[in-house]
Amino acid sequence: MDSRFEEIAAALVRGDAVAVRAGVTICLETGVEPTEIMARGLIAGMGVIGHQFKNNEIYMPEVMIAARAMNAGLELLDPILSRADGPCRAKMILGTVRGDLHDVGKNMVSMFFRGAGYEVVDLGVDVPEARFVEAIREHRPRLVGLSALLSTTVPQLSSTVKALGEAGLRSGLVVMVGGAPVTQEYADSIGADGYAPDAASAVDKAAELLAAVAW
């Protein structure tokens, strides 16, 4: 691996936003393709963070510090990649369902998926079923992530999945659900395609599901 990418990845893992930004800047100034910096620097670093998080080697504070470091690099790369319409693994719609204002878990999911090379359209919190339908029609994603943290809002996961089906949007679309009260059994019962207990595991699960669904 090129030492420049190794330095970016290592800086991200240790949460050094200044070093990540400097490394990305140097790469851009020397003509390195933004997609290569993203894949071999930022995504590689986030892969290490995801592995450590899933194995309880690091915890939420370290992940959030790494996220800030990643965002320092993304701030430089995102405008260029957007103009170039660069490739991504898949496009994802993400949001917390209607009636729920919690966003920490959703934001973690967004960070891990962006770090894995996905284009994430984050609808925010308290998102009604109709807004998910509208966003899917507009952006044509392959993946939708629905979050609910409260036991009182978990039923909105079911109503949102149902609304997507009634709108004729379920063919080829992978729907994942998550949140503290959610289980795999509940995901199965409402017709969701997948569930993951944490943001890092969600990336692996999404890749597995996307590989199995025709597009």
Side-chain angles (χ1 to χ4, degrees):
M1 184 176 183
D2 189 307
S3 62
R4 294 171 298 179
F5 303 129
E6 288 181 346
E7 290 169 3
I8 292 171
L12 190 155
V13 170
R14 66 176 184 268
D16 190 339
V18 173
V20 169
R21 189 175 183 88
V24 171
T25 299
I26 291 170
C27 285
L28 290 173
E29 290 176 346
T30 54
V32 179
E33 286 294 323
T35 52
E36 191 172 15
I37 302 170
M38 180 77 171
R40 300 177 66 187
L42 300 184
I43 292 176
M46 281 308 301
V48 174
I49 291 294
H51 176 79
Q52 292 177 341
F53 183 66
K54 285 190 293 183
N55 287 284
N56 296 318
E57 296 171 18
I58 59 172
Y59 299 95
M60 191 69 72
E62 293 90 345
V63 172
M64 297 306 293
I65 292 170
R68 286 197 292 270
M70 184 193 74
N71 285 332
L74 288 176
E75 286 174 0
L76 298 173
L77 295 177
D78 273 350
I80 302 170
L81 292 171
S82 296
R83 289 198 304 269
D85 194 25
C88 67
R89 289 181 66 176
K91 185 180 289 187
M92 177 186 197
I93 297 290
L94 180 65
T96 303
V97 294
R98 179 163 56 94
D100 200 320
L101 301 177
H102 292 86
D103 66 356
V104 173
K106 172 188 65 63
N107 292 346
M108 286 287 295
V109 170
S110 176
M111 184 269 291
F112 270 104
F113 273 85
R114 292 179 74 203
Y118 289 79
E119 178 183 347
V120 179
V121 179
D122 190 341
L123 303 182
V125 300
D126 192 20
V127 183
E129 296 91 330
R131 178 68 184 112
F132 280 108
V133 169
E134 175 187 341
I136 292 166
R137 286 175 171 161
E138 177 183 355
H139 296 283
R140 294 185 54 79
R142 289 200 63 197
L143 178 66
V144 175
L146 309 175
S147 174
L149 189 68
L150 302 173
S151 59
T152 54
T153 58
V154 166
Q156 295 301 321
L157 296 173
S158 177
S159 62
T160 302
V161 172
K162 181 180 179 181
L164 300 182
E166 292 175 344
L169 299 173
R170 288 293 279 120
S171 178
L173 180 68
V174 171
V175 178
M176 294 186 65
V177 296
V182 184
T183 63
Q184 181 63 60
E185 290 75 18
Y186 181 75
D188 293 340
S189 74
I190 65 173
D193 297 297
Y195 156 81
D198 57 68
S201 299
V203 174
D204 295 335
K205 186 65 175 178
E208 173 191 324
L209 293 169
L210 289 169
V213 174
W215 177 248

